[in-house]
Amino acid sequence: MRSGESVGSIAARHRVTRAAVVGANHLDNPHALRTGQRLAIPGCRPPAPTVKDDGPTVLSSDGSVLKRVGPLRVLTELVLVQPDFQEERIGLVWPVEGPVISTFGRRARGWHAGIDITAEMGSQILAAAGGTVLYSGWIRAYGQIVKVQHSNGFITLYAHNLKNLVEEGEEVEAGQVIALVGRSGHASGPHLHFEVRRHGKAYNPLHVLEPSDQSPIFDDDVAASSSDLDSHE
């Protein structure tokens, strides 16, 4: 017990019921606890995570913000406006067919460095452009991921995969199947988390993907039950 704490606040921090704490410690009077007293927490889970805000959102002259994103909370520049790559732009095809259920930028919990596209478990994930596989493996919270290096400094990332079908160092072509849609890592339902980066900056994939017959759908009910409330950013 610390000064100012109560049985209720301790129970909430460890995500158990107040009654469980009272019962486990045989507390006749839960209000008569002293500072420094040790309490047993039955079947406790880790304290609920808190999200630290990086401060007020301030756009730079090029329309970007600096925020902590991803499983490792890396400080990253997120470009929120339509970029002008001029002749350095490359064509990026949609990596999977399905509605977009979570967008790039600010979310209910922190900031999001990509978009989430829902699809059936096991659906094929395609390389958005030709390039070299930089990484194929597991990353905390993102689960199974594939990262591909393209020309002109572009990098795409595909996360929460059921299975990766390419290996590090492998050359891939645009539209080649590189993984299968899953829910590995911290994901409440099958979907693809897709990122586009260049020179250390994250860009809104909806600003750089090639036009498609598929129209992104933003369904609040689907988003709330799936990726928009996932603990990754």
Side-chain angles (χ1 to χ4, degrees):
M1 288 290 296
R2 300 172 187 165
S3 178
E5 285 188 320
S6 66
V7 172
S9 65
I10 290 175
R13 177 151 52 90
H14 291 280
R15 303 165 75 182
V16 298
T17 65
R18 183 178 183 278
V21 175
V22 171
N25 294 275
H26 308 290
L27 301 177
D28 295 327
N29 184 359
H31 301 288
L33 300 179
R34 64 183 184 281
T35 301
Q37 182 175 343
R38 298 178 66 85
L39 296 176
I41 309 297
C44 71
R45 292 175 288 174
T50 57
V51 175
K52 294 182 178 179
D53 195 352
D54 297 320
T57 299
V58 179
L59 291 178
S60 66
S61 59
D62 66 350
S64 64
V65 295
L66 196 62
K67 296 294 178 180
R68 296 191 181 277
V69 297
L72 303 180
R73 310 295 295 155
V74 176
L75 200 60
T76 303
E77 194 169 349
L78 279 68
V79 181
L80 305 181
V81 299
Q82 182 82 40
D84 181 13
F85 298 122
Q86 299 181 359
E87 70 278 1
E88 294 187 330
R89 185 187 184 94
I90 66 172
L92 295 176
V93 300
W94 282 76
V96 70
E97 297 222 359
V100 174
I101 57 170
S102 185
T103 53
F104 178 91
R106 187 63 187 261
R107 299 205 305 181
R109 297 183 179 181
W111 289 78
H112 199 211
I115 60 174
D116 293 337
I117 309 170
T118 188
E120 294 292 330
M121 180 75 75
S123 298
Q124 295 180 339
I125 298 172
L126 312 180
T132 305
V133 177
L134 286 178
Y135 181 78
S136 177
W138 183 276
I139 288 184
R140 185 185 71 192
Y142 274 0
Q144 292 287 351
I145 79 158
V146 172
K147 186 183 294 186
V148 181
Q149 173 78 62
H150 310 286
S151 59
N152 296 343
F154 286 90
I155 292 174
T156 53
L157 180 147
Y158 315 75
H160 300 307
N161 308 335
L162 172 67
K163 183 179 182 181
N164 296 341
L165 303 177
V166 292
E167 298 180 355
E168 187 173 327
E170 185 174 339
E171 296 293 324
V172 298
E173 298 179 354
Q176 179 178 333
V177 180
I178 58 174
L180 302 178
V181 171
R183 52 175 299 179
S184 59
H186 292 176
S188 55
H191 70 277
L192 171 66
H193 171 81
F194 178 64
E195 296 183 11
V196 177
R197 301 197 179 211
R198 184 171 189 256
H199 302 327
K201 297 181 181 181
Y203 291 86
N204 187 344
L206 296 180
H207 287 162
V208 294
L209 284 165
E210 290 293 302
S212 170
D213 290 337
Q214 122 186 4
S215 297
I217 300 172
F218 304 96
D219 186 324
D220 291 338
D221 292 336
V222 174
S225 66
S226 184
S227 58
D228 200 49
L229 295 181
D230 287 345
S231 58
H232 80 270
E233 303 300 340

